[in-house]
Amino acid sequence: MSLLADLHNCPLFAGITDDDLALLSDIVRQRNTERGELLFSEGERAIGFFIVASGRVKVYKLSADGKERILHIVQPGGTFAEAAIFGDGNYPAYAEPLMPTRLLFFPKTEFLSLLREHGQVAINMIAGLSRYLRQFASQVEQLTFQDVPARLSGYLLTLAAKNQRSVVLPTTKSALASQLGTVSETLSRTLRKLCDEEVIAVDGRTITLLDRERLQELAESTRER
């Protein structure tokens, strides 16, 4: 896929003109990375942001005792670290590819200069940051009010298209556990329970949704007080 096509497929740049895309292509840098390569660390001074052209990247925090908490998995077309080029100018988390990944990197200084001159790009940037704000608010709500079966059910329904019967987990189960705010053992027990109840069937990373209605009920439930 060409560089212009990669940029055009990114929601952050939806609706901008071909001329603006050409300007973006002048400042972007392509980077091929390997699995496990540290892209940046929490607190490190932000020098730009990224688009995932192919592959996947996890963005995560580390607790005081070194435990990893995945904030989100960035899929192709997704962006990350764009908020860091504003504000205090530091990266708020860690980022690391989950597989060999091709990235598009936008240097902070050049990109902010482009924003000042091209309004549609700036408007799209605001929309993109608002999307992440809603995503994090949803994560806080789920961790506060929902148990693991509810969080897992909601995740599977989000992963599946409207009439899709099977989904393939984009990450390992341990990474998924971290993303859902739990541990691998609890996630495994939850998967087994849903299998025993014939709500889902699991074959490696492939999960078949046997009872979508029951999954929806679980996803909408809250933990008892």
Side-chain angles (χ1 to χ4, degrees):
M1 185 177 289
S2 70
L3 176 59
L4 285 177
D6 286 331
L7 295 174
H8 183 74
N9 288 336
C10 177
L12 191 64
F13 301 133
I16 68 174
T17 66
D18 289 342
D19 288 340
D20 285 344
L21 282 175
L23 290 171
L24 288 166
S25 69
D26 287 338
I27 65 172
V28 70
R29 303 172 188 170
Q30 299 193 62
R31 177 176 172 184
N32 293 315
T33 61
E34 297 299 322
R35 177 182 178 182
E37 181 179 336
L38 185 64
L39 301 175
F40 52 77
S41 301
E42 181 176 0
E44 183 181 327
R45 186 155 187 80
I47 59 172
F49 75 96
F50 300 82
I51 296 174
V52 177
S54 64
R56 289 192 296 272
V57 171
K58 67 176 178 180
V59 178
Y60 62 97
K61 291 266 196 178
L62 291 177
S63 66
D65 59 358
K67 290 184 179 178
E68 185 179 288
R69 169 74 171 95
I70 295 178
L71 301 176
H72 53 273
I73 304 294
V74 188
Q75 306 286 346
T79 57
F80 62 100
E82 62 267 47
I85 66 174
F86 303 100
D88 62 9
N90 295 324
Y91 291 120
Y94 298 81
E96 181 181 307
L98 291 169
M99 56 173 45
T101 296
R102 184 165 62 89
L103 298 170
L104 306 182
F105 174 73
F106 287 90
K108 174 179 178 177
T109 302
E110 290 93 328
F111 187 77
L112 290 181
S113 295
L114 188 147
L115 287 186
R116 295 186 190 100
E117 300 174 9
H118 300 274
Q120 187 59 51
V121 179
I123 290 171
N124 285 5
M125 172 69 79
I126 293 171
L129 296 178
S130 298
R131 184 177 67 252
Y132 281 121
L133 180 61
R134 290 193 300 271
Q135 177 181 330
F136 284 126
S138 177
Q139 285 182 326
V140 170
E141 182 179 355
Q142 290 172 354
L143 291 172
T144 303
F145 298 112
Q146 292 190 315
D147 57 17
V148 176
R151 283 178 247 157
L152 175 60
S153 298
Y155 176 82
L156 293 175
L157 289 170
T158 300
L159 200 60
K162 185 175 181 180
N163 296 313
Q164 189 176 352
R165 183 173 170 80
S166 295
V167 298
V168 178
L169 296 179
T171 63
T172 63
K173 290 176 184 175
S174 60
L176 176 57
S178 174
Q179 188 176 356
L180 295 177
T182 187
V183 295
S184 297
E185 293 79 3
T186 301
L187 177 62
S188 294
R189 285 197 299 270
T190 303
L191 287 168
R192 283 197 300 270
K193 187 173 186 295
L194 293 178
C195 286
D196 291 343
E197 295 175 355
E198 298 185 344
V199 178
I200 62 173
V202 179
D203 182 11
R205 289 195 187 181
T206 301
I207 297 182
T208 302
L209 313 185
L210 302 176
D211 190 341
R212 187 181 286 265
E213 184 176 338
R214 176 57 179 154
L215 276 178
Q216 190 67 51
E217 289 175 358
L218 287 169
E220 294 172 356
S221 66
T222 56
R223 60 164 61 99
E224 294 182 3
R225 297 292 178 181

